[in-house]
Amino acid sequence: MNKGKPVTIKEIAKRLKISPSTVSRALNDHPSIGLVTTIRVKKMAEELNYVPNQTAIFFKQRKTFTIGVIVPSLMEPFFSKAISEIEEIASKQKYTVLMGQSLDDEEREQSIIQTFRKHRVDGVLISLGKNTQDLAAFKVLSDVSIPYVFFDCVPSGNDYNRVFCDLYSGMEEALIAFKDCGHTKIALINGPEQLLAAKEREVGFRRGLKKLGLPLNEKYIVHTNLTEQGNVDAIEELLNLPERPSAIISFNDYVTLDVMSHARKRGVGINQDIHFISFANYPLWKYIENPPMGSIEQFPDKQAQMATEMLFKLIDKKEIQGQPKDYKLNSKLILH
């Protein structure tokens, strides 16, 4: 045996004077191989520092035992929590997780998709970036029979496997909480208009106001591109109105941090002059002295769990591909 050369099944078979197929079956605890032979084979493999040829195994099983995950940002607590759940489930399936962050850049997102395709991952989990428009880019996965599931930030329509949070329930709970506190001038700082999540928030906002008999002021619905400057511009638009809102529901907690900070600079009393509720319920609020009135929980761990379990069913052919599945979770208001 050459020094430094990987030990093969043939080398073990030669030493034990048995066939390579017998060695292979023994290493995999095949019932056709006797206990004594199995012990001898495994002992020899250990002595020779034998390492299975994963490439050969993958080729034989037609799997790489890897899944890809694409999220807008690995820094966000929401996605950190989701990824922890994904990795936990994947580990139990003896899978490795490959990560990619799009940073809300559509070209970068498409590049990651192509990379996952080249590496022939067995499946992909995707949370879309806010600027993604071209869903045809995901067809390259379908073309090579790689299943994929969207979660949290998902495309519209019923043509995709999706797991997401129903935002209407949380929005209604937020409006009820404001109404119970006597607020009638309620505004919405929403995300980009083309984003499905932003559309759902606005529909829920309008529907909730009507259901609760609260007035709707069209000037109280403003949009941000989710940058710091965009968030500042949105709160400025509301603060410059002749009649300011007394309560604001904002797109997410990062938007809320920016708008609360800017409002303070303008001399606005947080939870006095204006009260806030936002989406996501990130854990950072417990470290802030004067947090918003509440946050709408979207359960990233539960979304990730359901999406990952769905993906593995598709990988293992336990779900029929071509028949998209939709799973919704109810969002929930958490008061601070």
Side-chain angles (χ1 to χ4, degrees), residues 27-63:
L27 289 171
N28 289 286
D29 295 310
H30 196 281
S32 67
I33 306 301
L35 179 60
V36 173
T37 301
T38 297
I39 292 173
R40 287 179 63 220
V41 168
K42 289 188 174 182
K43 184 179 179 182
M44 180 60 70
E46 186 177 350
E47 289 175 358
L48 297 176
N49 292 321
Y50 168 74
V51 178
N53 184 338
Q54 289 299 125
T55 302
I57 293 171
F58 294 161
F59 181 78
K60 184 177 180 181
Q61 297 188 8
R62 298 180 181 273
K63 287 183 179 180

PDB file of all heavy atoms in Angstrom, residues 27-63:
ATOM      1  N   LEU A  27     -19.399  -3.615   5.775  1.00  0.00           N
ATOM      2  CA  LEU A  27     -19.286  -2.233   6.249  1.00  0.00           C
ATOM      3  C   LEU A  27     -20.649  -1.563   6.395  1.00  0.00           C
ATOM      4  O   LEU A  27     -20.818  -0.630   7.180  1.00  0.00           O
ATOM      5  CB  LEU A  27     -18.407  -1.415   5.290  1.00  0.00           C
ATOM      6  CG  LEU A  27     -16.916  -1.749   5.309  1.00  0.00           C
ATOM      7  CD1 LEU A  27     -16.206  -1.035   4.165  1.00  0.00           C
ATOM      8  CD2 LEU A  27     -16.285  -1.356   6.646  1.00  0.00           C
ATOM      9  N   ASN A  28     -21.612  -2.059   5.642  1.00  0.00           N
ATOM     10  CA  ASN A  28     -22.961  -1.507   5.696  1.00  0.00           C
ATOM     11  C   ASN A  28     -23.920  -2.376   6.503  1.00  0.00           C
ATOM     12  O   ASN A  28     -25.144  -2.214   6.412  1.00  0.00           O
ATOM     13  CB  ASN A  28     -23.504  -1.297   4.270  1.00  0.00           C
ATOM     14  CG  ASN A  28     -22.813  -0.147   3.553  1.00  0.00           C
ATOM     15  OD1 ASN A  28     -23.063   1.017   3.844  1.00  0.00           O
ATOM     16  ND2 ASN A  28     -21.918  -0.480   2.629  1.00  0.00           N
ATOM     17  N   ASP A  29     -23.338  -3.319   7.299  1.00  0.00           N
ATOM     18  CA  ASP A  29     -24.129  -4.184   8.184  1.00  0.00           C
ATOM     19  C   ASP A  29     -25.219  -4.952   7.446  1.00  0.00           C
ATOM     20  O   ASP A  29     -26.351  -5.084   7.936  1.00  0.00           O
ATOM     21  CB  ASP A  29     -24.759  -3.355   9.316  1.00  0.00           C
ATOM     22  CG  ASP A  29     -23.698  -2.758  10.233  1.00  0.00           C
ATOM     23  OD1 ASP A  29     -22.820  -3.511  10.684  1.00  0.00           O
ATOM     24  OD2 ASP A  29     -23.758  -1.534  10.485  1.00  0.00           O
ATOM     25  N   HIS A  30     -24.886  -5.452   6.271  1.00  0.00           N
ATOM     26  CA  HIS A  30     -25.866  -6.215   5.500  1.00  0.00           C
ATOM     27  C   HIS A  30     -26.172  -7.529   6.219  1.00  0.00           C
ATOM     28  O   HIS A  30     -25.261  -8.224   6.699  1.00  0.00           O
ATOM     29  CB  HIS A  30     -25.326  -6.503   4.086  1.00  0.00           C
ATOM     30  CG  HIS A  30     -26.389  -6.923   3.130  1.00  0.00           C
ATOM     31  ND1 HIS A  30     -26.903  -8.202   3.086  1.00  0.00           N
ATOM     32  CD2 HIS A  30     -27.050  -6.214   2.175  1.00  0.00           C
ATOM     33  CE1 HIS A  30     -27.820  -8.282   2.144  1.00  0.00           C
ATOM     34  NE2 HIS A  30     -27.925  -7.080   1.572  1.00  0.00           N
ATOM     35  N   PRO A  31     -27.443  -7.912   6.332  1.00  0.00           N
ATOM     36  CA  PRO A  31     -27.821  -9.129   7.072  1.00  0.00           C
ATOM     37  C   PRO A  31     -27.271 -10.427   6.481  1.00  0.00           C
ATOM     38  O   PRO A  31     -27.218 -11.459   7.164  1.00  0.00           O
ATOM     39  CB  PRO A  31     -29.359  -9.106   7.020  1.00  0.00           C
ATOM     40  CG  PRO A  31     -29.711  -8.225   5.867  1.00  0.00           C
ATOM     41  CD  PRO A  31     -28.631  -7.196   5.817  1.00  0.00           C
ATOM     42  N   SER A  32     -26.849 -10.380   5.217  1.00  0.00           N
ATOM     43  CA  SER A  32     -26.318 -11.601   4.594  1.00  0.00           C
ATOM     44  C   SER A  32     -24.894 -11.936   5.052  1.00  0.00           C
ATOM     45  O   SER A  32     -24.384 -13.021   4.796  1.00  0.00           O
ATOM     46  CB  SER A  32     -26.338 -11.469   3.066  1.00  0.00           C
ATOM     47  OG  SER A  32     -25.426 -10.464   2.640  1.00  0.00           O
ATOM     48  N   ILE A  33     -24.263 -10.999   5.735  1.00  0.00           N
ATOM     49  CA  ILE A  33     -22.884 -11.209   6.200  1.00  0.00           C
ATOM     50  C   ILE A  33     -22.896 -11.571   7.686  1.00  0.00           C
ATOM     51  O   ILE A  33     -23.533 -10.899   8.491  1.00  0.00           O
ATOM     52  CB  ILE A  33     -22.028  -9.937   5.973  1.00  0.00           C
ATOM     53  CG1 ILE A  33     -22.100  -9.507   4.508  1.00  0.00           C
ATOM     54  CG2 ILE A  33     -20.585 -10.189   6.391  1.00  0.00           C
ATOM     55  CD1 ILE A  33     -21.628 -10.539   3.520  1.00  0.00           C
ATOM     56  N   GLY A  34     -22.184 -12.608   8.021  1.00  0.00           N
ATOM     57  CA  GLY A  34     -22.144 -13.075   9.403  1.00  0.00           C
ATOM     58  C   GLY A  34     -21.474 -12.079  10.335  1.00  0.00           C
ATOM     59  O   GLY A  34     -20.674 -11.235   9.914  1.00  0.00           O
ATOM     60  N   LEU A  35     -21.771 -12.192  11.626  1.00  0.00           N
ATOM     61  CA  LEU A  35     -21.272 -11.261  12.619  1.00  0.00           C
ATOM     62  C   LEU A  35     -19.741 -11.277  12.707  1.00  0.00           C
ATOM     63  O   LEU A  35     -19.112 -10.223  12.788  1.00  0.00           O
ATOM     64  CB  LEU A  35     -21.867 -11.601  13.997  1.00  0.00           C
ATOM     65  CG  LEU A  35     -21.416 -10.722  15.170  1.00  0.00           C
ATOM     66  CD1 LEU A  35     -21.781  -9.271  14.911  1.00  0.00           C
ATOM     67  CD2 LEU A  35     -22.034 -11.208  16.479  1.00  0.00           C
ATOM     68  N   VAL A  36     -19.160 -12.476  12.661  1.00  0.00           N
ATOM     69  CA  VAL A  36     -17.702 -12.591  12.776  1.00  0.00           C
ATOM     70  C   VAL A  36     -17.015 -11.875  11.621  1.00  0.00           C
ATOM     71  O   VAL A  36     -16.049 -11.110  11.803  1.00  0.00           O
ATOM     72  CB  VAL A  36     -17.265 -14.076  12.820  1.00  0.00           C
ATOM     73  CG1 VAL A  36     -15.736 -14.178  12.776  1.00  0.00           C
ATOM     74  CG2 VAL A  36     -17.794 -14.753  14.077  1.00  0.00           C
ATOM     75  N   THR A  37     -17.515 -12.100  10.412  1.00  0.00           N
ATOM     76  CA  THR A  37     -16.930 -11.448   9.232  1.00  0.00           C
ATOM     77  C   THR A  37     -17.083  -9.935   9.319  1.00  0.00           C
ATOM     78  O   THR A  37     -16.154  -9.186   9.002  1.00  0.00           O
ATOM     79  CB  THR A  37     -17.598 -11.965   7.943  1.00  0.00           C
ATOM     80  OG1 THR A  37     -17.424 -13.378   7.859  1.00  0.00           O
ATOM     81  CG2 THR A  37     -16.992 -11.301   6.709  1.00  0.00           C
ATOM     82  N   THR A  38     -18.247  -9.484   9.748  1.00  0.00           N
ATOM     83  CA  THR A  38     -18.505  -8.050   9.883  1.00  0.00           C
ATOM     84  C   THR A  38     -17.526  -7.411  10.859  1.00  0.00           C
ATOM     85  O   THR A  38     -16.953  -6.354  10.583  1.00  0.00           O
ATOM     86  CB  THR A  38     -19.949  -7.797  10.346  1.00  0.00           C
ATOM     87  OG1 THR A  38     -20.863  -8.282   9.359  1.00  0.00           O
ATOM     88  CG2 THR A  38     -20.208  -6.302  10.555  1.00  0.00           C
ATOM     89  N   ILE A  39     -17.302  -8.082  11.984  1.00  0.00           N
ATOM     90  CA  ILE A  39     -16.370  -7.560  12.993  1.00  0.00           C
ATOM     91  C   ILE A  39     -14.954  -7.500  12.432  1.00  0.00           C
ATOM     92  O   ILE A  39     -14.239  -6.515  12.605  1.00  0.00           O
ATOM     93  CB  ILE A  39     -16.419  -8.431  14.274  1.00  0.00           C
ATOM     94  CG1 ILE A  39     -17.779  -8.254  14.973  1.00  0.00           C
ATOM     95  CG2 ILE A  39     -15.280  -8.058  15.220  1.00  0.00           C
ATOM     96  CD1 ILE A  39     -18.004  -9.186  16.139  1.00  0.00           C
ATOM     97  N   ARG A  40     -14.541  -8.557  11.725  1.00  0.00           N
ATOM     98  CA  ARG A  40     -13.194  -8.600  11.143  1.00  0.00           C
ATOM     99  C   ARG A  40     -12.992  -7.469  10.133  1.00  0.00           C
ATOM    100  O   ARG A  40     -11.952  -6.806  10.112  1.00  0.00           O
ATOM    101  CB  ARG A  40     -12.960  -9.947  10.449  1.00  0.00           C
ATOM    102  CG  ARG A  40     -12.764 -11.118  11.402  1.00  0.00           C
ATOM    103  CD  ARG A  40     -12.552 -12.413  10.609  1.00  0.00           C
ATOM    104  NE  ARG A  40     -11.339 -12.346   9.800  1.00  0.00           N
ATOM    105  CZ  ARG A  40     -11.245 -12.815   8.561  1.00  0.00           C
ATOM    106  NH1 ARG A  40     -12.316 -13.328   7.949  1.00  0.00           N
ATOM    107  NH2 ARG A  40     -10.096 -12.749   7.894  1.00  0.00           N
ATOM    108  N   VAL A  41     -14.004  -7.274   9.287  1.00  0.00           N
ATOM    109  CA  VAL A  41     -13.922  -6.239   8.257  1.00  0.00           C
ATOM    110  C   VAL A  41     -13.825  -4.853   8.894  1.00  0.00           C
ATOM    111  O   VAL A  41     -12.978  -4.026   8.518  1.00  0.00           O
ATOM    112  CB  VAL A  41     -15.131  -6.313   7.306  1.00  0.00           C
ATOM    113  CG1 VAL A  41     -15.199  -5.053   6.418  1.00  0.00           C
ATOM    114  CG2 VAL A  41     -15.059  -7.566   6.438  1.00  0.00           C
ATOM    115  N   LYS A  42     -14.669  -4.570   9.862  1.00  0.00           N
ATOM    116  CA  LYS A  42     -14.679  -3.248  10.493  1.00  0.00           C
ATOM    117  C   LYS A  42     -13.394  -2.994  11.273  1.00  0.00           C
ATOM    118  O   LYS A  42     -12.898  -1.851  11.315  1.00  0.00           O
ATOM    119  CB  LYS A  42     -15.900  -3.105  11.401  1.00  0.00           C
ATOM    120  CG  LYS A  42     -17.211  -2.984  10.621  1.00  0.00           C
ATOM    121  CD  LYS A  42     -18.377  -2.651  11.520  1.00  0.00           C
ATOM    122  CE  LYS A  42     -19.645  -2.400  10.699  1.00  0.00           C
ATOM    123  NZ  LYS A  42     -20.799  -2.029  11.535  1.00  0.00           N
ATOM    124  N   LYS A  43     -12.864  -4.034  11.888  1.00  0.00           N
ATOM    125  CA  LYS A  43     -11.608  -3.895  12.619  1.00  0.00           C
ATOM    126  C   LYS A  43     -10.466  -3.565  11.664  1.00  0.00           C
ATOM    127  O   LYS A  43      -9.633  -2.679  11.928  1.00  0.00           O
ATOM    128  CB  LYS A  43     -11.304  -5.175  13.387  1.00  0.00           C
ATOM    129  CG  LYS A  43     -10.053  -5.067  14.260  1.00  0.00           C
ATOM    130  CD  LYS A  43      -9.804  -6.359  15.035  1.00  0.00           C
ATOM    131  CE  LYS A  43      -8.529  -6.227  15.883  1.00  0.00           C
ATOM    132  NZ  LYS A  43      -8.230  -7.476  16.606  1.00  0.00           N
ATOM    133  N   MET A  44     -10.406  -4.274  10.533  1.00  0.00           N
ATOM    134  CA  MET A  44      -9.364  -4.018   9.546  1.00  0.00           C
ATOM    135  C   MET A  44      -9.509  -2.609   8.960  1.00  0.00           C
ATOM    136  O   MET A  44      -8.513  -1.904   8.746  1.00  0.00           O
ATOM    137  CB  MET A  44      -9.428  -5.061   8.427  1.00  0.00           C
ATOM    138  CG  MET A  44      -8.362  -4.884   7.336  1.00  0.00           C
ATOM    139  SD  MET A  44      -6.666  -4.983   7.977  1.00  0.00           S
ATOM    140  CE  MET A  44      -6.586  -6.743   8.391  1.00  0.00           C
ATOM    141  N   ALA A  45     -10.758  -2.220   8.699  1.00  0.00           N
ATOM    142  CA  ALA A  45     -11.014  -0.884   8.149  1.00  0.00           C
ATOM    143  C   ALA A  45     -10.515   0.188   9.117  1.00  0.00           C
ATOM    144  O   ALA A  45      -9.924   1.198   8.704  1.00  0.00           O
ATOM    145  CB  ALA A  45     -12.502  -0.705   7.878  1.00  0.00           C
ATOM    146  N   GLU A  46     -10.733  -0.028  10.411  1.00  0.00           N
ATOM    147  CA  GLU A  46     -10.282   0.921  11.422  1.00  0.00           C
ATOM    148  C   GLU A  46      -8.754   0.963  11.495  1.00  0.00           C
ATOM    149  O   GLU A  46      -8.152   2.036  11.578  1.00  0.00           O
ATOM    150  CB  GLU A  46     -10.862   0.527  12.781  1.00  0.00           C
ATOM    151  CG  GLU A  46     -10.566   1.546  13.881  1.00  0.00           C
ATOM    152  CD  GLU A  46     -11.204   1.171  15.207  1.00  0.00           C
ATOM    153  OE1 GLU A  46     -12.035   0.233  15.233  1.00  0.00           O
ATOM    154  OE2 GLU A  46     -10.856   1.808  16.213  1.00  0.00           O
ATOM    155  N   GLU A  47      -8.122  -0.198  11.429  1.00  0.00           N
ATOM    156  CA  GLU A  47      -6.657  -0.270  11.499  1.00  0.00           C
ATOM    157  C   GLU A  47      -6.005   0.439  10.309  1.00  0.00           C
ATOM    158  O   GLU A  47      -4.950   1.059  10.433  1.00  0.00           O
ATOM    159  CB  GLU A  47      -6.201  -1.730  11.538  1.00  0.00           C
ATOM    160  CG  GLU A  47      -6.513  -2.433  12.856  1.00  0.00           C
ATOM    161  CD  GLU A  47      -6.155  -3.917  12.807  1.00  0.00           C
ATOM    162  OE1 GLU A  47      -5.694  -4.395  11.741  1.00  0.00           O
ATOM    163  OE2 GLU A  47      -6.353  -4.592  13.837  1.00  0.00           O
ATOM    164  N   LEU A  48      -6.652   0.342   9.149  1.00  0.00           N
ATOM    165  CA  LEU A  48      -6.098   0.945   7.930  1.00  0.00           C
ATOM    166  C   LEU A  48      -6.573   2.382   7.704  1.00  0.00           C
ATOM    167  O   LEU A  48      -6.243   2.998   6.695  1.00  0.00           O
ATOM    168  CB  LEU A  48      -6.473   0.091   6.716  1.00  0.00           C
ATOM    169  CG  LEU A  48      -5.920  -1.335   6.690  1.00  0.00           C
ATOM    170  CD1 LEU A  48      -6.446  -2.079   5.478  1.00  0.00           C
ATOM    171  CD2 LEU A  48      -4.397  -1.321   6.700  1.00  0.00           C
ATOM    172  N   ASN A  49      -7.367   2.902   8.694  1.00  0.00           N
ATOM    173  CA  ASN A  49      -7.926   4.267   8.565  1.00  0.00           C
ATOM    174  C   ASN A  49      -8.734   4.429   7.279  1.00  0.00           C
ATOM    175  O   ASN A  49      -8.613   5.426   6.562  1.00  0.00           O
ATOM    176  CB  ASN A  49      -6.809   5.313   8.606  1.00  0.00           C
ATOM    177  CG  ASN A  49      -6.151   5.392   9.969  1.00  0.00           C
ATOM    178  OD1 ASN A  49      -6.833   5.301  10.990  1.00  0.00           O
ATOM    179  ND2 ASN A  49      -4.844   5.525   9.990  1.00  0.00           N
ATOM    180  N   TYR A  50      -9.539   3.425   7.003  1.00  0.00           N
ATOM    181  CA  TYR A  50     -10.375   3.454   5.793  1.00  0.00           C
ATOM    182  C   TYR A  50     -11.446   4.537   5.913  1.00  0.00           C
ATOM    183  O   TYR A  50     -12.129   4.664   6.938  1.00  0.00           O
ATOM    184  CB  TYR A  50     -11.041   2.093   5.581  1.00  0.00           C
ATOM    185  CG  TYR A  50     -12.138   2.112   4.540  1.00  0.00           C
ATOM    186  CD1 TYR A  50     -11.838   2.191   3.184  1.00  0.00           C
ATOM    187  CD2 TYR A  50     -13.482   2.067   4.922  1.00  0.00           C
ATOM    188  CE1 TYR A  50     -12.837   2.237   2.226  1.00  0.00           C
ATOM    189  CE2 TYR A  50     -14.491   2.101   3.973  1.00  0.00           C
ATOM    190  CZ  TYR A  50     -14.168   2.180   2.617  1.00  0.00           C
ATOM    191  OH  TYR A  50     -15.167   2.217   1.687  1.00  0.00           O
ATOM    192  N   VAL A  51     -11.595   5.344   4.874  1.00  0.00           N
ATOM    193  CA  VAL A  51     -12.637   6.364   4.793  1.00  0.00           C
ATOM    194  C   VAL A  51     -13.473   6.082   3.550  1.00  0.00           C
ATOM    195  O   VAL A  51     -12.929   5.969   2.439  1.00  0.00           O
ATOM    196  CB  VAL A  51     -12.035   7.788   4.688  1.00  0.00           C
ATOM    197  CG1 VAL A  51     -13.152   8.823   4.544  1.00  0.00           C
ATOM    198  CG2 VAL A  51     -11.185   8.092   5.905  1.00  0.00           C
ATOM    199  N   PRO A  52     -14.797   5.933   3.700  1.00  0.00           N
ATOM    200  CA  PRO A  52     -15.646   5.646   2.535  1.00  0.00           C
ATOM    201  C   PRO A  52     -15.522   6.713   1.460  1.00  0.00           C
ATOM    202  O   PRO A  52     -15.356   7.897   1.765  1.00  0.00           O
ATOM    203  CB  PRO A  52     -17.063   5.633   3.128  1.00  0.00           C
ATOM    204  CG  PRO A  52     -16.870   5.356   4.578  1.00  0.00           C
ATOM    205  CD  PRO A  52     -15.574   5.998   4.950  1.00  0.00           C
ATOM    206  N   ASN A  53     -15.570   6.300   0.222  1.00  0.00           N
ATOM    207  CA  ASN A  53     -15.529   7.213  -0.914  1.00  0.00           C
ATOM    208  C   ASN A  53     -16.928   7.805  -1.102  1.00  0.00           C
ATOM    209  O   ASN A  53     -17.803   7.188  -1.718  1.00  0.00           O
ATOM    210  CB  ASN A  53     -15.093   6.463  -2.178  1.00  0.00           C
ATOM    211  CG  ASN A  53     -14.937   7.389  -3.376  1.00  0.00           C
ATOM    212  OD1 ASN A  53     -15.516   8.470  -3.406  1.00  0.00           O
ATOM    213  ND2 ASN A  53     -14.157   6.973  -4.348  1.00  0.00           N
ATOM    214  N   GLN A  54     -17.128   9.003  -0.549  1.00  0.00           N
ATOM    215  CA  GLN A  54     -18.464   9.601  -0.583  1.00  0.00           C
ATOM    216  C   GLN A  54     -18.943   9.866  -2.007  1.00  0.00           C
ATOM    217  O   GLN A  54     -20.121   9.747  -2.301  1.00  0.00           O
ATOM    218  CB  GLN A  54     -18.470  10.915   0.202  1.00  0.00           C
ATOM    219  CG  GLN A  54     -18.349  10.729   1.710  1.00  0.00           C
ATOM    220  CD  GLN A  54     -19.495   9.914   2.280  1.00  0.00           C
ATOM    221  OE1 GLN A  54     -19.267   8.908   2.941  1.00  0.00           O
ATOM    222  NE2 GLN A  54     -20.711  10.304   2.019  1.00  0.00           N
ATOM    223  N   THR A  55     -18.023  10.215  -2.904  1.00  0.00           N
ATOM    224  CA  THR A  55     -18.422  10.485  -4.287  1.00  0.00           C
ATOM    225  C   THR A  55     -19.049   9.245  -4.915  1.00  0.00           C
ATOM    226  O   THR A  55     -20.078   9.328  -5.592  1.00  0.00           O
ATOM    227  CB  THR A  55     -17.203  10.924  -5.121  1.00  0.00           C
ATOM    228  OG1 THR A  55     -16.628  12.083  -4.531  1.00  0.00           O
ATOM    229  CG2 THR A  55     -17.619  11.224  -6.555  1.00  0.00           C
ATOM    230  N   ALA A  56     -18.440   8.099  -4.666  1.00  0.00           N
ATOM    231  CA  ALA A  56     -18.976   6.846  -5.206  1.00  0.00           C
ATOM    232  C   ALA A  56     -20.325   6.528  -4.585  1.00  0.00           C
ATOM    233  O   ALA A  56     -21.255   6.067  -5.259  1.00  0.00           O
ATOM    234  CB  ALA A  56     -17.991   5.709  -4.953  1.00  0.00           C
ATOM    235  N   ILE A  57     -20.438   6.784  -3.269  1.00  0.00           N
ATOM    236  CA  ILE A  57     -21.703   6.522  -2.579  1.00  0.00           C
ATOM    237  C   ILE A  57     -22.803   7.420  -3.130  1.00  0.00           C
ATOM    238  O   ILE A  57     -23.917   6.985  -3.403  1.00  0.00           O
ATOM    239  CB  ILE A  57     -21.536   6.737  -1.060  1.00  0.00           C
ATOM    240  CG1 ILE A  57     -20.599   5.676  -0.473  1.00  0.00           C
ATOM    241  CG2 ILE A  57     -22.886   6.684  -0.353  1.00  0.00           C
ATOM    242  CD1 ILE A  57     -20.210   5.938   0.970  1.00  0.00           C
ATOM    243  N   PHE A  58     -22.464   8.708  -3.304  1.00  0.00           N
ATOM    244  CA  PHE A  58     -23.452   9.645  -3.825  1.00  0.00           C
ATOM    245  C   PHE A  58     -23.891   9.243  -5.234  1.00  0.00           C
ATOM    246  O   PHE A  58     -25.075   9.322  -5.582  1.00  0.00           O
ATOM    247  CB  PHE A  58     -22.859  11.064  -3.867  1.00  0.00           C
ATOM    248  CG  PHE A  58     -22.558  11.642  -2.510  1.00  0.00           C
ATOM    249  CD1 PHE A  58     -21.681  12.708  -2.384  1.00  0.00           C
ATOM    250  CD2 PHE A  58     -23.129  11.118  -1.359  1.00  0.00           C
ATOM    251  CE1 PHE A  58     -21.393  13.243  -1.137  1.00  0.00           C
ATOM    252  CE2 PHE A  58     -22.846  11.649  -0.107  1.00  0.00           C
ATOM    253  CZ  PHE A  58     -21.976  12.710  -0.001  1.00  0.00           C
ATOM    254  N   PHE A  59     -22.921   8.838  -6.043  1.00  0.00           N
ATOM    255  CA  PHE A  59     -23.241   8.439  -7.418  1.00  0.00           C
ATOM    256  C   PHE A  59     -24.183   7.245  -7.424  1.00  0.00           C
ATOM    257  O   PHE A  59     -25.147   7.201  -8.184  1.00  0.00           O
ATOM    258  CB  PHE A  59     -21.958   8.097  -8.170  1.00  0.00           C
ATOM    259  CG  PHE A  59     -22.186   7.704  -9.602  1.00  0.00           C
ATOM    260  CD1 PHE A  59     -22.436   8.658 -10.565  1.00  0.00           C
ATOM    261  CD2 PHE A  59     -22.180   6.366  -9.968  1.00  0.00           C
ATOM    262  CE1 PHE A  59     -22.671   8.291 -11.887  1.00  0.00           C
ATOM    263  CE2 PHE A  59     -22.411   5.989 -11.282  1.00  0.00           C
ATOM    264  CZ  PHE A  59     -22.644   6.957 -12.248  1.00  0.00           C
ATOM    265  N   LYS A  60     -23.920   6.295  -6.560  1.00  0.00           N
ATOM    266  CA  LYS A  60     -24.740   5.085  -6.500  1.00  0.00           C
ATOM    267  C   LYS A  60     -26.150   5.389  -6.024  1.00  0.00           C
ATOM    268  O   LYS A  60     -27.135   4.867  -6.550  1.00  0.00           O
ATOM    269  CB  LYS A  60     -24.074   4.066  -5.570  1.00  0.00           C
ATOM    270  CG  LYS A  60     -24.798   2.729  -5.503  1.00  0.00           C
ATOM    271  CD  LYS A  60     -24.044   1.750  -4.614  1.00  0.00           C
ATOM    272  CE  LYS A  60     -24.772   0.412  -4.537  1.00  0.00           C
ATOM    273  NZ  LYS A  60     -24.051  -0.548  -3.652  1.00  0.00           N
ATOM    274  N   GLN A  61     -26.262   6.260  -5.018  1.00  0.00           N
ATOM    275  CA  GLN A  61     -27.575   6.571  -4.445  1.00  0.00           C
ATOM    276  C   GLN A  61     -28.272   7.720  -5.166  1.00  0.00           C
ATOM    277  O   GLN A  61     -29.400   8.053  -4.845  1.00  0.00           O
ATOM    278  CB  GLN A  61     -27.427   6.894  -2.959  1.00  0.00           C
ATOM    279  CG  GLN A  61     -26.900   5.731  -2.135  1.00  0.00           C
ATOM    280  CD  GLN A  61     -26.945   6.030  -0.649  1.00  0.00           C
ATOM    281  OE1 GLN A  61     -27.489   7.033  -0.206  1.00  0.00           O
ATOM    282  NE2 GLN A  61     -26.382   5.143   0.140  1.00  0.00           N
ATOM    283  N   ARG A  62     -27.568   8.356  -6.112  1.00  0.00           N
ATOM    284  CA  ARG A  62     -28.110   9.496  -6.851  1.00  0.00           C
ATOM    285  C   ARG A  62     -28.483  10.652  -5.915  1.00  0.00           C
ATOM    286  O   ARG A  62     -29.472  11.351  -6.134  1.00  0.00           O
ATOM    287  CB  ARG A  62     -29.311   9.090  -7.709  1.00  0.00           C
ATOM    288  CG  ARG A  62     -28.967   8.070  -8.782  1.00  0.00           C
ATOM    289  CD  ARG A  62     -30.186   7.702  -9.594  1.00  0.00           C
ATOM    290  NE  ARG A  62     -29.871   6.714 -10.594  1.00  0.00           N
ATOM    291  CZ  ARG A  62     -29.425   6.976 -11.810  1.00  0.00           C
ATOM    292  NH1 ARG A  62     -29.217   8.227 -12.162  1.00  0.00           N
ATOM    293  NH2 ARG A  62     -29.160   6.013 -12.668  1.00  0.00           N
ATOM    294  N   LYS A  63     -27.691  10.823  -4.863  1.00  0.00           N
ATOM    295  CA  LYS A  63     -27.891  11.910  -3.911  1.00  0.00           C
ATOM    296  C   LYS A  63     -26.540  12.475  -3.495  1.00  0.00           C
ATOM    297  O   LYS A  63     -25.537  11.775  -3.499  1.00  0.00           O
ATOM    298  CB  LYS A  63     -28.626  11.420  -2.654  1.00  0.00           C
ATOM    299  CG  LYS A  63     -30.096  11.117  -2.847  1.00  0.00           C
ATOM    300  CD  LYS A  63     -30.729  10.715  -1.518  1.00  0.00           C
ATOM    301  CE  LYS A  63     -32.218  10.426  -1.670  1.00  0.00           C
ATOM    302  NZ  LYS A  63     -32.821  10.044  -0.373  1.00  0.00           N
TER     303      LYS A  63
END
